[in-house]
Amino acid sequence: MALLVSEKTLLPVLMPLAPAATLARRFPAHLALVLKEHGVPSEFVAQEIWRMDKVQYAKTANRSVLGILNEFVKQAEFWLAAYAHEKDDDDDLLAISAKLAETPCSSLYKGPVSPDKALHQLVKAGAQT
């Protein structure tokens, strides 16, 4: 699986990695599902997806992002085991992405404290501009 995180909101998106060659092409659809899961308006989702026309891979120098990625990996392993135990499958990556988004993140403490709250603040600010 692939775990992608927004640098601005730390919003996590879990999705299948395979086939890795098509990850960038498949990511916008998975992001749209995660945004809809958080109740983001369709207009905002469409704008975000439209802006994702170019993909560039690079290492991050942001230590907060690296730290939260490590934390999300640990939590995702727990939730994958819990969901597999409860439902006899481990395919509910959307639900796990939503659970991870509730995690308090120290780099967000100056504002909203979790990725889901940071997302809603970003959406609200975008709706006002």
Side-chain angles (χ1 to χ4, degrees), residues 5 7 13 18 31 33 35 38-39 46 63-64 67-68 76 78 82 84-85 89-90 99 107 109 113-114 119 126:
V5 176
E7 186 171 16
V13 176
L31 174 62
L33 290 173
L35 293 175
H38 286 283
R63 292 178 58 185
S64 293
I68 199 62
F78 167 81
H85 177 72
D89 67 46
D90 61 356
K99 281 290 204 191
S107 59
Y109 284 173
V113 296
S114 61
L119 170 64

PDB file of all heavy atoms in Angstrom, residues 5 7 13 18 31 33 35 38-39 46 63-64 67-68 76 78 82 84-85 89-90 99 107 109 113-114 119 126:
ATOM      1  N   VAL A   5       0.670  11.936   2.172  1.00  0.00           N
ATOM      2  CA  VAL A   5       0.275  12.910   3.184  1.00  0.00           C
ATOM      3  C   VAL A   5       0.448  14.318   2.631  1.00  0.00           C
ATOM      4  O   VAL A   5       1.488  14.640   2.049  1.00  0.00           O
ATOM      5  CB  VAL A   5       1.124  12.738   4.468  1.00  0.00           C
ATOM      6  CG1 VAL A   5       0.801  13.802   5.489  1.00  0.00           C
ATOM      7  CG2 VAL A   5       0.918  11.361   5.062  1.00  0.00           C
ATOM      8  N   GLU A   7       1.403  18.035   2.866  1.00  0.00           N
ATOM      9  CA  GLU A   7       2.328  18.779   3.728  1.00  0.00           C
ATOM     10  C   GLU A   7       1.600  19.872   4.503  1.00  0.00           C
ATOM     11  O   GLU A   7       1.944  20.167   5.639  1.00  0.00           O
ATOM     12  CB  GLU A   7       3.451  19.388   2.888  1.00  0.00           C
ATOM     13  CG  GLU A   7       4.513  20.048   3.726  1.00  0.00           C
ATOM     14  CD  GLU A   7       5.734  20.465   2.930  1.00  0.00           C
ATOM     15  OE1 GLU A   7       5.671  20.525   1.693  1.00  0.00           O
ATOM     16  OE2 GLU A   7       6.768  20.736   3.569  1.00  0.00           O
ATOM     17  N   VAL A  13      -3.751   9.727   2.887  1.00  0.00           N
ATOM     18  CA  VAL A  13      -4.486   8.949   1.900  1.00  0.00           C
ATOM     19  C   VAL A  13      -3.775   7.606   1.775  1.00  0.00           C
ATOM     20  O   VAL A  13      -2.620   7.556   1.362  1.00  0.00           O
ATOM     21  CB  VAL A  13      -4.538   9.652   0.526  1.00  0.00           C
ATOM     22  CG1 VAL A  13      -5.220   8.767  -0.507  1.00  0.00           C
ATOM     23  CG2 VAL A  13      -5.228  11.000   0.631  1.00  0.00           C
ATOM     24  N   ALA A  18       0.177  -1.213  -5.842  1.00  0.00           N
ATOM     25  CA  ALA A  18       0.284  -1.908  -7.132  1.00  0.00           C
ATOM     26  C   ALA A  18      -0.856  -1.511  -8.065  1.00  0.00           C
ATOM     27  O   ALA A  18      -1.994  -1.377  -7.614  1.00  0.00           O
ATOM     28  CB  ALA A  18       0.283  -3.412  -6.908  1.00  0.00           C
ATOM     29  N   LEU A  31      -7.784  10.409  -3.628  1.00  0.00           N
ATOM     30  CA  LEU A  31      -7.894  11.645  -2.855  1.00  0.00           C
ATOM     31  C   LEU A  31      -9.338  12.137  -2.858  1.00  0.00           C
ATOM     32  O   LEU A  31      -9.861  12.544  -1.812  1.00  0.00           O
ATOM     33  CB  LEU A  31      -6.967  12.729  -3.408  1.00  0.00           C
ATOM     34  CG  LEU A  31      -7.115  14.102  -2.749  1.00  0.00           C
ATOM     35  CD1 LEU A  31      -6.782  14.040  -1.262  1.00  0.00           C
ATOM     36  CD2 LEU A  31      -6.250  15.126  -3.467  1.00  0.00           C
ATOM     37  N   LEU A  33     -12.046  10.427  -3.053  1.00  0.00           N
ATOM     38  CA  LEU A  33     -12.823   9.593  -2.127  1.00  0.00           C
ATOM     39  C   LEU A  33     -12.588  10.002  -0.677  1.00  0.00           C
ATOM     40  O   LEU A  33     -13.527  10.074   0.118  1.00  0.00           O
ATOM     41  CB  LEU A  33     -12.466   8.123  -2.319  1.00  0.00           C
ATOM     42  CG  LEU A  33     -12.927   7.483  -3.620  1.00  0.00           C
ATOM     43  CD1 LEU A  33     -12.341   6.073  -3.748  1.00  0.00           C
ATOM     44  CD2 LEU A  33     -14.442   7.446  -3.702  1.00  0.00           C
ATOM     45  N   LEU A  35     -11.542  12.961   0.425  1.00  0.00           N
ATOM     46  CA  LEU A  35     -12.145  14.277   0.655  1.00  0.00           C
ATOM     47  C   LEU A  35     -13.660  14.162   0.823  1.00  0.00           C
ATOM     48  O   LEU A  35     -14.241  14.804   1.704  1.00  0.00           O
ATOM     49  CB  LEU A  35     -11.793  15.222  -0.493  1.00  0.00           C
ATOM     50  CG  LEU A  35     -10.318  15.615  -0.598  1.00  0.00           C
ATOM     51  CD1 LEU A  35     -10.072  16.456  -1.846  1.00  0.00           C
ATOM     52  CD2 LEU A  35      -9.844  16.348   0.653  1.00  0.00           C
ATOM     53  N   HIS A  38     -14.700  12.989   4.159  1.00  0.00           N
ATOM     54  CA  HIS A  38     -14.634  14.043   5.179  1.00  0.00           C
ATOM     55  C   HIS A  38     -15.694  15.120   4.960  1.00  0.00           C
ATOM     56  O   HIS A  38     -15.681  16.148   5.641  1.00  0.00           O
ATOM     57  CB  HIS A  38     -13.234  14.679   5.196  1.00  0.00           C
ATOM     58  CG  HIS A  38     -12.212  13.793   5.818  1.00  0.00           C
ATOM     59  ND1 HIS A  38     -12.089  13.617   7.174  1.00  0.00           N
ATOM     60  CD2 HIS A  38     -11.266  13.001   5.263  1.00  0.00           C
ATOM     61  CE1 HIS A  38     -11.109  12.775   7.436  1.00  0.00           C
ATOM     62  NE2 HIS A  38     -10.600  12.372   6.289  1.00  0.00           N
ATOM     63  N   GLY A  39     -16.591  14.907   4.015  1.00  0.00           N
ATOM     64  CA  GLY A  39     -17.683  15.847   3.807  1.00  0.00           C
ATOM     65  C   GLY A  39     -17.296  17.113   3.059  1.00  0.00           C
ATOM     66  O   GLY A  39     -17.982  18.126   3.156  1.00  0.00           O
ATOM     67  N   ALA A  46     -13.502  18.897  -6.878  1.00  0.00           N
ATOM     68  CA  ALA A  46     -13.254  19.032  -8.321  1.00  0.00           C
ATOM     69  C   ALA A  46     -12.098  19.995  -8.591  1.00  0.00           C
ATOM     70  O   ALA A  46     -11.250  19.726  -9.451  1.00  0.00           O
ATOM     71  CB  ALA A  46     -14.514  19.496  -9.034  1.00  0.00           C
ATOM     72  N   ARG A  63      10.630  17.652   8.402  1.00  0.00           N
ATOM     73  CA  ARG A  63      10.738  16.616   9.427  1.00  0.00           C
ATOM     74  C   ARG A  63       9.391  16.316  10.073  1.00  0.00           C
ATOM     75  O   ARG A  63       9.149  15.203  10.535  1.00  0.00           O
ATOM     76  CB  ARG A  63      11.777  17.018  10.462  1.00  0.00           C
ATOM     77  CG  ARG A  63      13.183  17.011   9.837  1.00  0.00           C
ATOM     78  CD  ARG A  63      14.242  17.444  10.789  1.00  0.00           C
ATOM     79  NE  ARG A  63      14.250  16.595  11.979  1.00  0.00           N
ATOM     80  CZ  ARG A  63      15.018  16.806  13.014  1.00  0.00           C
ATOM     81  NH1 ARG A  63      15.846  17.818  13.027  1.00  0.00           N
ATOM     82  NH2 ARG A  63      14.974  16.002  14.063  1.00  0.00           N
ATOM     83  N   SER A  64       8.495  17.290  10.116  1.00  0.00           N
ATOM     84  CA  SER A  64       7.157  17.045  10.657  1.00  0.00           C
ATOM     85  C   SER A  64       6.401  16.045   9.800  1.00  0.00           C
ATOM     86  O   SER A  64       5.710  15.156  10.313  1.00  0.00           O
ATOM     87  CB  SER A  64       6.360  18.350  10.745  1.00  0.00           C
ATOM     88  OG  SER A  64       6.926  19.213  11.690  1.00  0.00           O
ATOM     89  N   GLY A  67       7.892  12.615  10.389  1.00  0.00           N
ATOM     90  CA  GLY A  67       7.469  12.103  11.689  1.00  0.00           C
ATOM     91  C   GLY A  67       6.041  11.599  11.666  1.00  0.00           C
ATOM     92  O   GLY A  67       5.748  10.520  12.198  1.00  0.00           O
ATOM     93  N   ILE A  68       5.148  12.355  11.054  1.00  0.00           N
ATOM     94  CA  ILE A  68       3.753  11.924  11.022  1.00  0.00           C
ATOM     95  C   ILE A  68       3.582  10.732  10.093  1.00  0.00           C
ATOM     96  O   ILE A  68       2.750   9.854  10.351  1.00  0.00           O
ATOM     97  CB  ILE A  68       2.788  13.075  10.676  1.00  0.00           C
ATOM     98  CG1 ILE A  68       1.354  12.714  11.114  1.00  0.00           C
ATOM     99  CG2 ILE A  68       2.801  13.412   9.220  1.00  0.00           C
ATOM    100  CD1 ILE A  68       1.157  12.495  12.575  1.00  0.00           C
ATOM    101  N   ALA A  76      -1.655   2.669  10.987  1.00  0.00           N
ATOM    102  CA  ALA A  76      -2.286   1.959   9.870  1.00  0.00           C
ATOM    103  C   ALA A  76      -2.140   0.449  10.059  1.00  0.00           C
ATOM    104  O   ALA A  76      -3.080  -0.303   9.778  1.00  0.00           O
ATOM    105  CB  ALA A  76      -1.679   2.403   8.538  1.00  0.00           C
ATOM    106  N   PHE A  78      -2.007  -1.127  12.862  1.00  0.00           N
ATOM    107  CA  PHE A  78      -2.989  -1.484  13.877  1.00  0.00           C
ATOM    108  C   PHE A  78      -4.388  -1.562  13.281  1.00  0.00           C
ATOM    109  O   PHE A  78      -5.113  -2.540  13.472  1.00  0.00           O
ATOM    110  CB  PHE A  78      -2.973  -0.476  15.038  1.00  0.00           C
ATOM    111  CG  PHE A  78      -4.153  -0.617  15.952  1.00  0.00           C
ATOM    112  CD1 PHE A  78      -4.165  -1.589  16.933  1.00  0.00           C
ATOM    113  CD2 PHE A  78      -5.264   0.207  15.811  1.00  0.00           C
ATOM    114  CE1 PHE A  78      -5.266  -1.736  17.768  1.00  0.00           C
ATOM    115  CE2 PHE A  78      -6.364   0.058  16.642  1.00  0.00           C
ATOM    116  CZ  PHE A  78      -6.367  -0.913  17.619  1.00  0.00           C
ATOM    117  N   ALA A  82      -7.074  -4.591  12.879  1.00  0.00           N
ATOM    118  CA  ALA A  82      -8.392  -4.489  13.516  1.00  0.00           C
ATOM    119  C   ALA A  82      -9.507  -4.683  12.493  1.00  0.00           C
ATOM    120  O   ALA A  82     -10.468  -5.415  12.746  1.00  0.00           O
ATOM    121  CB  ALA A  82      -8.545  -3.134  14.212  1.00  0.00           C
ATOM    122  N   ALA A  84      -9.294  -6.180   9.571  1.00  0.00           N
ATOM    123  CA  ALA A  84      -9.244  -7.549   9.057  1.00  0.00           C
ATOM    124  C   ALA A  84      -9.893  -8.498  10.061  1.00  0.00           C
ATOM    125  O   ALA A  84     -10.609  -9.422   9.681  1.00  0.00           O
ATOM    126  CB  ALA A  84      -7.798  -7.958   8.780  1.00  0.00           C
ATOM    127  N   HIS A  85      -9.659  -8.257  11.331  1.00  0.00           N
ATOM    128  CA  HIS A  85     -10.248  -9.102  12.374  1.00  0.00           C
ATOM    129  C   HIS A  85     -11.767  -8.938  12.418  1.00  0.00           C
ATOM    130  O   HIS A  85     -12.512  -9.902  12.551  1.00  0.00           O
ATOM    131  CB  HIS A  85      -9.639  -8.751  13.740  1.00  0.00           C
ATOM    132  CG  HIS A  85     -10.239  -9.514  14.870  1.00  0.00           C
ATOM    133  ND1 HIS A  85      -9.991 -10.856  15.069  1.00  0.00           N
ATOM    134  CD2 HIS A  85     -11.101  -9.141  15.841  1.00  0.00           C
ATOM    135  CE1 HIS A  85     -10.660 -11.263  16.130  1.00  0.00           C
ATOM    136  NE2 HIS A  85     -11.343 -10.245  16.614  1.00  0.00           N
ATOM    137  N   ASP A  89     -11.406  -8.849   6.085  1.00  0.00           N
ATOM    138  CA  ASP A  89     -10.667  -8.315   4.940  1.00  0.00           C
ATOM    139  C   ASP A  89      -9.845  -7.127   5.403  1.00  0.00           C
ATOM    140  O   ASP A  89     -10.021  -6.618   6.492  1.00  0.00           O
ATOM    141  CB  ASP A  89     -11.579  -7.922   3.771  1.00  0.00           C
ATOM    142  CG  ASP A  89     -12.480  -6.735   4.081  1.00  0.00           C
ATOM    143  OD1 ASP A  89     -11.984  -5.739   4.627  1.00  0.00           O
ATOM    144  OD2 ASP A  89     -13.673  -6.795   3.754  1.00  0.00           O
ATOM    145  N   ASP A  90      -8.926  -6.710   4.585  1.00  0.00           N
ATOM    146  CA  ASP A  90      -8.099  -5.550   4.951  1.00  0.00           C
ATOM    147  C   ASP A  90      -8.163  -4.499   3.854  1.00  0.00           C
ATOM    148  O   ASP A  90      -7.229  -3.751   3.654  1.00  0.00           O
ATOM    149  CB  ASP A  90      -6.657  -5.971   5.227  1.00  0.00           C
ATOM    150  CG  ASP A  90      -5.977  -6.603   4.033  1.00  0.00           C
ATOM    151  OD1 ASP A  90      -6.630  -6.806   2.992  1.00  0.00           O
ATOM    152  OD2 ASP A  90      -4.782  -6.884   4.131  1.00  0.00           O
ATOM    153  N   LYS A  99      -9.681   7.398   9.856  1.00  0.00           N
ATOM    154  CA  LYS A  99      -9.252   7.228  11.247  1.00  0.00           C
ATOM    155  C   LYS A  99      -7.917   7.924  11.506  1.00  0.00           C
ATOM    156  O   LYS A  99      -7.730   8.595  12.520  1.00  0.00           O
ATOM    157  CB  LYS A  99      -9.126   5.744  11.600  1.00  0.00           C
ATOM    158  CG  LYS A  99     -10.419   5.078  11.879  1.00  0.00           C
ATOM    159  CD  LYS A  99     -10.952   5.610  13.174  1.00  0.00           C
ATOM    160  CE  LYS A  99     -11.893   4.655  13.839  1.00  0.00           C
ATOM    161  NZ  LYS A  99     -12.590   5.298  14.938  1.00  0.00           N
ATOM    162  N   SER A 107       2.690  19.335  14.905  1.00  0.00           N
ATOM    163  CA  SER A 107       2.990  20.430  13.980  1.00  0.00           C
ATOM    164  C   SER A 107       1.750  21.246  13.650  1.00  0.00           C
ATOM    165  O   SER A 107       1.853  22.336  13.096  1.00  0.00           O
ATOM    166  CB  SER A 107       3.622  19.880  12.697  1.00  0.00           C
ATOM    167  OG  SER A 107       2.746  18.973  12.077  1.00  0.00           O
ATOM    168  N   TYR A 109      -0.477  22.097  16.135  1.00  0.00           N
ATOM    169  CA  TYR A 109      -0.977  22.613  17.406  1.00  0.00           C
ATOM    170  C   TYR A 109      -1.215  24.114  17.420  1.00  0.00           C
ATOM    171  O   TYR A 109      -1.950  24.604  18.252  1.00  0.00           O
ATOM    172  CB  TYR A 109      -0.037  22.245  18.550  1.00  0.00           C
ATOM    173  CG  TYR A 109      -0.135  20.803  18.986  1.00  0.00           C
ATOM    174  CD1 TYR A 109       0.754  20.293  19.896  1.00  0.00           C
ATOM    175  CD2 TYR A 109      -1.117  19.957  18.502  1.00  0.00           C
ATOM    176  CE1 TYR A 109       0.687  18.963  20.315  1.00  0.00           C
ATOM    177  CE2 TYR A 109      -1.196  18.641  18.896  1.00  0.00           C
ATOM    178  CZ  TYR A 109      -0.296  18.152  19.802  1.00  0.00           C
ATOM    179  OH  TYR A 109      -0.376  16.840  20.204  1.00  0.00           O
ATOM    180  N   VAL A 113      -5.744  20.807  15.470  1.00  0.00           N
ATOM    181  CA  VAL A 113      -4.771  19.841  15.976  1.00  0.00           C
ATOM    182  C   VAL A 113      -4.748  18.508  15.239  1.00  0.00           C
ATOM    183  O   VAL A 113      -3.917  17.671  15.531  1.00  0.00           O
ATOM    184  CB  VAL A 113      -4.964  19.571  17.488  1.00  0.00           C
ATOM    185  CG1 VAL A 113      -4.699  20.824  18.292  1.00  0.00           C
ATOM    186  CG2 VAL A 113      -6.339  19.005  17.774  1.00  0.00           C
ATOM    187  N   SER A 114      -5.641  18.292  14.307  1.00  0.00           N
ATOM    188  CA  SER A 114      -5.646  17.031  13.570  1.00  0.00           C
ATOM    189  C   SER A 114      -5.855  17.311  12.082  1.00  0.00           C
ATOM    190  O   SER A 114      -6.409  18.351  11.711  1.00  0.00           O
ATOM    191  CB  SER A 114      -6.739  16.099  14.104  1.00  0.00           C
ATOM    192  OG  SER A 114      -8.006  16.697  13.948  1.00  0.00           O
ATOM    193  N   LEU A 119      -8.086  20.161   7.431  1.00  0.00           N
ATOM    194  CA  LEU A 119      -8.755  20.101   6.128  1.00  0.00           C
ATOM    195  C   LEU A 119     -10.007  20.966   6.128  1.00  0.00           C
ATOM    196  O   LEU A 119     -10.215  21.765   5.212  1.00  0.00           O
ATOM    197  CB  LEU A 119      -9.125  18.649   5.791  1.00  0.00           C
ATOM    198  CG  LEU A 119     -10.026  18.455   4.574  1.00  0.00           C
ATOM    199  CD1 LEU A 119      -9.332  18.912   3.294  1.00  0.00           C
ATOM    200  CD2 LEU A 119     -10.476  17.008   4.476  1.00  0.00           C
ATOM    201  N   GLY A 126     -11.075  28.421   1.801  1.00  0.00           N
ATOM    202  CA  GLY A 126     -11.200  28.420   0.340  1.00  0.00           C
ATOM    203  C   GLY A 126     -12.564  28.853  -0.111  1.00  0.00           C
ATOM    204  O   GLY A 126     -12.717  29.495  -1.150  1.00  0.00           O
TER     205      GLY A 126
END
